[in-house]
Amino acid sequence: MTLEAGMCSNGHVSYPTHPLCPECGEPQEETFDLADRTGEVVTWTHSTATPPGVREPNTLAIVEFDVTDISGASDEFVRALGQVTTDEVETGDTVEPVYVEELRDPDAGIKVPESQDWDGYRWDPV
Amino acid sequence: MGVAVIGASMTKFGQRDAWIRELLSQAGEECLTDAGVAPDDVEHLYVSNMASGEFEGQTGIMNLLAHDLGVLPAYSERVDQTSSSGGAGIYEAWQSVASGASDMTLLVGGEKMTHKTTGQATDIIASITHPDEYKHGVTLPSFAGMTARHYLERFDAPRESLARVAVKNHRNGVDNPKAQFQKEITMEKALESPIIADPLRLYDFCPITDGSAALMFTTEERAREITDEYALVSGIGGATDTHVVHERDDPTVMGGVVESSEQAYEMAGLGPEDLDVAELHDMFTILEFLQLEGIGVAEQGTAWEMAMDGATAKDGELPINTSGGLKSKGHPLGASGVAQGVEIYEQLVGEAGPRQVEADTALACNVGGFGNCVITTIMEAAE
Ligand SMILES: [Zn+2]
């Protein structure tokens, strides 16, 4: 499992990946893993009215990863949304991705369980 | 070709016993009567609805309604653009008349939601998100919470400014007999209500609602023959932003609002300074700020000051959500954009009763998802 970001030939970076770059329409031919990086919390919330199969409260954060070291990247950062391992989080916190096999109960919601992956990464404050 | 609105209707919004079939036909029939149009005269029928299949198991509702209203063999189509299905329906209806394809177009928007639990309804709505968002249990309210926190922190806006939006729109809703809630709330009540998505609380969110609304469109020429009381669709625009919300360059800018309103202003030959009244998609209080900034009424990071100053109140310089907004009127997904159109039409033809303000030019901004798809409509009173 990776936290895979995509990059086009013009160096635009996105997470998640898209077949064509949302910025310029060129194919995203390169990918790289964000899972071994740390990121910074841009914003967060404690979601307390959660749908069936989702933990409550569900603390979520949007995290910004610096990608200036990626060769060929013209974007300076890429953002990703994810659950937080703890309810104690603040804007500006440094977090690292930790792998979780099942982020919510695949059988409880409206989506067909087989239609998508249910594993992924939570943000763990460093 | 000039496109006119000659009739409008809206069912009571709220927790209704009626299912989607009855809700749609009730609004549709009332609109035919209000417009003075015979079912036979309807050439196109659009039905705005996000999820009748998911909520109720009823699909094919354009056909169902066309048959129930006796408008056969009119062309019929269901329009789904999630929460902006109603606005998208206005866009389709406008196109049908502007293109010459139809001389008389009925638009009915509706949704039946309250029979589901809050969790189930939240999940149906959250199913619009990208798989990499959905698996984290993200909901539309949680996007609102994260965006509100970022807005408040970045622009140093007081938490009270959001509560003021809720208090204002509940105040406006008192004068709307079709609203789900016709009761005022206090700042204390809003600020002390339970947390739903920190920093947002219960009163920062619209309720879950059943209801339907309808509008009748025709050519300007035909409108003049039929009635003295009509409004013109002078500008309309629609745009799409990223599906993945965190991929936007600036989390406080709704690109679809900016783009669609620019298109609408350009078509109408107007600007934000020309507006007399507007309906904005206040599914969450924070959205009223983002849209005021997106449609160019306020600079980025300053719309909260308008809430604090009372500039958006009914007696303020630009009344926002005289209908009570989604906040107090309720938000039956597919109906909401149509109901926004109903309110600005009624304001322009002088049928808004106790909610009436002086208005020749009005705007409605209907937001789908979390700004994912947006339709902005400008109507003007007929000369
Ligand atoms: Zn690119």
Side-chain angles (χ1 to χ4, degrees):
Chain A
M1 181 70 190
T2 57
L3 194 58
E4 193 177 66
M7 186 166 72
C8 73
S9 54
N10 291 319
H12 303 131
V13 180
S14 81
Y15 171 81
T17 62
H18 301 274
L20 300 180
C21 172
E23 195 68 33
C24 70
E26 291 294 319
Q28 284 191 336
E29 281 162 351
E30 278 183 68
T31 60
F32 57 91
D33 191 6
L34 297 169
D36 51 7
R37 296 169 174 261
T38 57
E40 188 185 313
V41 172
V42 178
T43 186
W44 57 275
T45 191
H46 292 131
S47 176
T48 53
T50 59
V54 177
R55 61 188 191 154
E56 192 168 316
N58 186 24
T59 300
L60 294 159
I62 291 174
V63 167
E64 200 164 280
F65 293 92
D66 188 312
V67 294
T68 47
D69 62 311
I70 299 288
S71 146
S74 57
D75 285 339
E76 292 180 357
F77 61 82
V78 64
R79 295 195 197 103
L81 165 83
Q83 296 180 346
V84 184
T85 55
T86 160
D87 295 333
E88 305 297 317
V89 66
E90 291 296 341
T91 303
D93 280 359
T94 300
V95 296
E96 61 181 7
V98 293
Y99 179 74
V100 178
E101 260 176 33
E102 212 166 73
L103 292 162
R104 64 187 285 179
D105 180 356
D107 295 311
I110 190 177
K111 292 213 181 182
V112 174
E114 295 76 23
S115 70
Q116 71 172 79
D117 297 327
W118 300 92
D119 61 343
Y121 289 84
R122 282 185 181 146
W123 315 133
D124 192 35
V126 176
Chain B
M1 202 174 308
V3 178
V5 178
I6 56 166
S9 69
M10 189 178 147
T11 68
K12 170 76 180 167
F13 277 16
Q15 199 168 341
R16 299 282 310 269
D17 292 331
W19 295 90
I20 192 69
R21 179 183 169 197
E22 189 185 334
L23 291 169
L24 294 173
S25 65
Q26 191 192 337
E29 198 181 333
E30 283 173 18
C31 190
L32 285 164
T33 305
D34 187 61
V37 169
D40 269 3
D41 289 336
V42 174
E43 295 178 11
H44 280 211
L45 168 70
Y46 295 91
V47 179
S48 295
N49 170 263
M50 171 177 155
S52 63
E54 293 79 356
F55 275 109
E56 188 178 320
Q58 178 67 59
T59 59
I61 57 174
M62 65 288 165
N63 189 188
L64 175 73
L65 182 64
H67 195 175
D68 274 351
L69 291 182
V71 304
L72 308 176
Y75 171 80
S76 66
E77 181 183 318
R78 172 173 170 264
V79 183
D80 165 24
Q81 204 184 70
T82 72
S83 279
S84 56
S85 299
I90 294 178
Y91 198 95
E92 297 279 302
W94 167 78
Q95 273 188 320
S96 73
V97 174
S99 66
S102 167
D103 257 7
M104 189 63 69
T105 295
L106 174 60
L107 166 65
V108 184
E111 209 82 40
K112 170 67 181 173
M113 306 170 73
T114 63
H115 57 292
K116 293 284 188 189
T117 64
T118 300
Q120 287 168 332
T122 305
D123 192 39
I124 290 172
I125 298 167
S127 73
I128 70 168
T129 59
H130 189 281
D132 283 324
E133 299 176 317
Y134 182 82
K135 69 182 180 183
H136 285 279
V138 77
T139 58
L140 276 289
S142 58
F143 280 132
M146 287 187 282
T147 303
R149 177 179 311 283
H150 188 71
Y151 186 98
L152 296 179
E153 289 179 348
R154 180 162 154 201
F155 301 120
D156 210 17
R159 175 64 185 79
E160 289 71 25
S161 61
L162 292 167
R164 283 194 184 267
V165 174
V167 169
K168 166 181 72 74
N169 292 349
H170 270 274
R171 171 66 204 85
N172 290 346
V174 170
D175 292 327
N176 188 348
K178 304 287 176 64
Q180 184 161 6
F181 301 124
Q182 279 186 275
K183 78 174 189 257
E184 291 199 50
I185 58 163
T186 61
M187 287 291 286
E188 292 69 39
K189 184 156 188 177
L191 290 168
E192 284 162 20
S193 61
I195 287 175
I196 300 294
D198 196 5
L200 299 182
R201 294 165 180 269
L202 184 64
Y203 279 97
D204 289 295
F205 297 93
C206 68
I208 290 169
T209 310
D210 308 325
S212 181
L215 291 166
M216 188 71 77
F217 297 79
T218 189
T219 61
E220 189 176 357
E221 207 175 22
R222 192 128 173 235
R224 238 182 268 124
E225 294 166 13
I226 297 173
T227 175
D228 298 330
E229 305 272 288
Y230 63 94
L232 291 167
V233 180
S234 59
I236 190 161
T240 308
D241 205 342
T242 66
H243 185 212
V244 180
V245 171
H246 69 244
E247 284 193 59
R248 295 174 194 165
D249 289 337
D250 187 329
T252 65
V253 174
M254 293 203 144
V257 175
V258 175
E259 181 63 33
S260 65
S261 63
E262 279 176 0
Q263 289 172 23
Y265 288 135
E266 196 187 332
M267 189 186 298
L270 299 170
E273 65 284 355
D274 297 312
L275 303 177
D276 299 317
V277 65
E279 288 286 303
L280 302 181
H281 193 93
D282 58 331
M283 186 174 183
F284 319 111
T285 50
I286 183 69
L287 289 192
E288 204 168 290
F289 296 167
L290 300 193
Q291 283 163 87
L292 281 166
E293 295 169 13
I295 65 171
V297 167
E299 295 286 321
Q300 187 182 18
T302 67
W304 63 269
E305 295 169 10
M306 294 182 74
M308 296 301 279
D309 296 347
T312 51
K314 192 187 159 213
D315 60 356
E317 61 193 70
L318 179 60
I320 300 292
N321 288 325
T322 50
S323 69
L326 279 55
K327 182 72 199 72
S328 82
K329 192 172 61 203
H331 181 27
L333 307 166
S336 284
V338 183
Q340 290 181 322
V342 171
E343 179 68 13
I344 62 172
Y345 166 81
E346 290 185 347
Q347 289 288 355
L348 294 172
V349 299
E351 287 177 3
R355 306 187 308 284
Q356 189 67 50
V357 296
E358 215 169 291
D360 294 318
T361 304
L363 176 147
C365 185
N366 188 202
V367 172
F370 198 71
N372 303 35
C373 295
V374 184
I375 303 283
T376 302
T377 306
I378 296 173
M379 288 190 207
E380 292 181 71
E383 294 286 307

